[in-house]
Amino acid sequence: MPARRPAAAHKPTTPAPAPAPTPGLRERKKRQTASRIWHAAVDLFVERGFDKVSVAEIAAAADVSKMTVFNYFGTKEDVLLAPMEEHVSDAAEAVRTRAPGESAADALRRQLLDLIEARDPSVGLSDSPRTLQVLRLVTETPVLLHRAHAFHHRSQQLLATALAEETGDAVLAEVAAAQLFGVRNAVFAEVHRRRMAGTPLNEVAADAATLARNAFALVEKGLSGYAVKA
């Protein structure tokens, strides 16, 4: 009889999320319209620059009315940054849904490494040319860069709120959120810098994963016993 293998060490697992309901026809059409507006806007912004394109011109390029653009997006900045806005609560959600025994740092590290492995556009690792186009637009346009910074700040505040609700200490939650979100921001910034410099995608992704692991290990020296879920 072959020797029995030793049992693998138990690792905390995150409960699988419930499957999202299939969108109906109306919702699918709305998503298609929003996507058409976004693609038309990116094309115009890349060709002429963000500041030199009007909402009316975006509407014409997308074959919709100007009012329709505003029905989907509140401002011209919103048109371009809508995909980013969809991820504003990602960090807080990773903390809220983590498994018992898993720390906040573990949850955020796992989430970030999963995004890197998946070459997710939200990290800047997609091989789509539009990912780089949007990165350049945001980096080179002050009003967009300001909005991107505001987005990151709001994401950090949502993370701090999630930690404070669980631990009851709002001050330490702010400290922890700043440290943990600092890792994400540092990794994102390095990915964006190297992608815009033309470094091959797979090389950037491999280095980003190493950076993420090292940075979280550094942070954990001060946060290893904080916010371990009961």
Side-chain angles (χ1 to χ4, degrees), residues 187-212:
V187 173
F188 285 11
E190 180 65 4
V191 167
H192 297 172
R193 183 189 69 80
R194 296 187 66 195
R195 289 286 284 134
M196 288 192 293
T199 306
L201 177 65
N202 288 338
E203 181 181 337
V204 176
D207 290 345
T210 300
L211 173 60

Side-chain angles (χ1 to χ4, degrees), residues 32-128:
Q32 290 168 0
T33 300
S35 177
R36 189 166 73 250
I37 294 170
W38 184 82
H39 281 83
V42 172
D43 287 342
L44 289 172
F45 295 154
V46 169
E47 179 184 352
R48 294 163 48 195
F50 178 83
D51 295 327
K52 296 181 179 179
V53 176
S54 69
V55 173
E57 290 169 322
I58 295 171
D63 195 24
V64 297
S65 70
K66 183 177 177 180
M67 182 58 68
T68 298
V69 175
F70 283 122
N71 285 340
Y72 282 84
F73 307 97
T75 65
K76 189 172 73 169
E77 291 82 2
D78 291 336
V79 176
L80 183 69
L81 297 177
M84 180 182 291
E85 296 287 343
E86 293 176 0
H87 296 278
V88 69
S89 62
D90 282 1
E93 188 65 17
V95 166
R96 284 198 168 97
T97 60
R98 72 195 190 284
E102 187 175 31
S103 71
D106 285 336
L108 289 173
R109 173 173 48 214
R110 172 173 47 79
Q111 182 189 62
L112 181 53
L113 290 174
D114 286 349
L115 291 172
I116 293 171
E117 183 178 2
R119 305 295 193 267
D120 196 279
S122 67
V123 190
L125 285 171
S126 168
D127 60 0
S128 168

